[in-house]
Amino acid sequence: MNRFLVIICLLLTAFACKSPEARRPISAKSGSFIDQSVERNKNLINKERAVFETIMAKDSVTDYIASNSGFWYYYQTKAADSLLTPEFGDIVTYNYTIKDINETVIYSQADLKQQTYIMDKQELFTGLREGLKLMREGETVTFLFPSQKAYGYYGDENKIGTNVPLICEVSLIDIKTTEPN
């Protein structure tokens, strides 16, 4: 009889532990938000490119160079005697000014003070980081950065708003190379 009760208890326990059925979602979401975001970003890129192309077309005396990184630049002062460009870990000293696309100064060189940056080891907005790598000591370069290469969607949380393309005048003062370990 004990054996019979044990078997019945085991059977009741086994059948009483039925797992609950999975609930179906009320509504399935499509990728429409992502699709809209992609389309919005494509439109923004095209709009900013058109603005920069207009700026460059109006300035017929300046030779603008298109970088492989998605921005444009030209040399105000070119250093013919130096071949050294900053590399990973090098310490660069530079001054710069940030303007909007109407050439209105957002941050002057006096506001920003002289900067020291360890290449690729500190935070710096993408365009400026990539732009510094193109420069040599003693050069002054003007960069046209689309918003995604500048401060992007978030801005700088101060004077630069959302999705603002920038014009930056940068003077590279010094490069201190670091020896590989």
Side-chain angles (χ1 to χ4, degrees), residues 4-20:
F4 180 69
L5 282 173
V6 170
I7 291 174
I8 290 193
C9 285
L10 285 175
L11 287 174
L12 285 175
T13 305
F15 288 110
C17 294
K18 180 182 173 198
S19 59

Side-chain angles (χ1 to χ4, degrees), residues 14-162:
F15 288 110
C17 294
K18 180 182 173 198
S19 59
E21 227 178 275
R23 296 183 303 174
R24 303 283 174 226
I26 296 171
S27 65
K29 293 195 176 202
S30 67
S32 63
F33 174 77
I34 292 174
D35 293 341
Q36 289 172 356
S37 180
V38 167
E39 193 59 35
R40 191 172 41 251
N41 285 332
K42 284 181 181 179
N43 290 337
L44 178 65
I45 290 168
N46 290 334
K47 179 181 156 192
E48 290 177 2
R49 178 183 300 269
V51 168
F52 284 137
E53 286 173 352
T54 301
I55 290 170
M56 291 184 285
K58 287 180 182 176
D59 187 2
S60 60
V61 296
T62 303
D63 292 326
Y64 287 88
I65 302 165
S67 77
N68 293 333
S69 300
F71 58 86
W72 297 267
Y73 64 100
Y74 68 89
Y75 290 92
Q76 291 181 10
T77 308
K78 191 161 175 93
D81 58 339
S82 175
L83 298 176
L84 179 67
T85 57
E87 294 182 12
F88 179 83
D90 289 349
I91 301 168
V92 295
T93 304
Y94 64 96
N95 288 318
Y96 71 120
T97 300
I98 298 177
K99 301 177 184 178
D100 65 16
I101 56 175
N102 298 317
E103 297 278 334
T104 304
V105 174
I106 300 172
Y107 293 110
S108 69
Q109 187 173 323
D111 293 334
L112 297 169
K113 313 261 187 283
Q114 191 173 74
Q115 300 287 312
T116 301
Y117 170 68
I118 303 172
M119 292 302 296
D120 297 325
K121 289 188 174 185
Q122 292 177 298
E123 275 194 45
L124 191 62
F125 71 87
T126 307
L128 186 54
R129 183 176 63 239
E130 293 168 356
L132 284 168
K133 291 177 184 177
L134 300 172
M135 297 180 70
R136 294 183 175 102
E137 219 172 81
E139 290 183 334
T140 299
V141 177
T142 297
F143 295 98
L144 308 178
F145 294 126
S147 62
Q148 74 271 12
K149 290 292 178 178
Y151 288 92
Y153 181 76
Y154 294 104
D156 76 339
E157 298 178 358
N158 192 6
K159 293 182 180 180
I160 300 172
T162 299

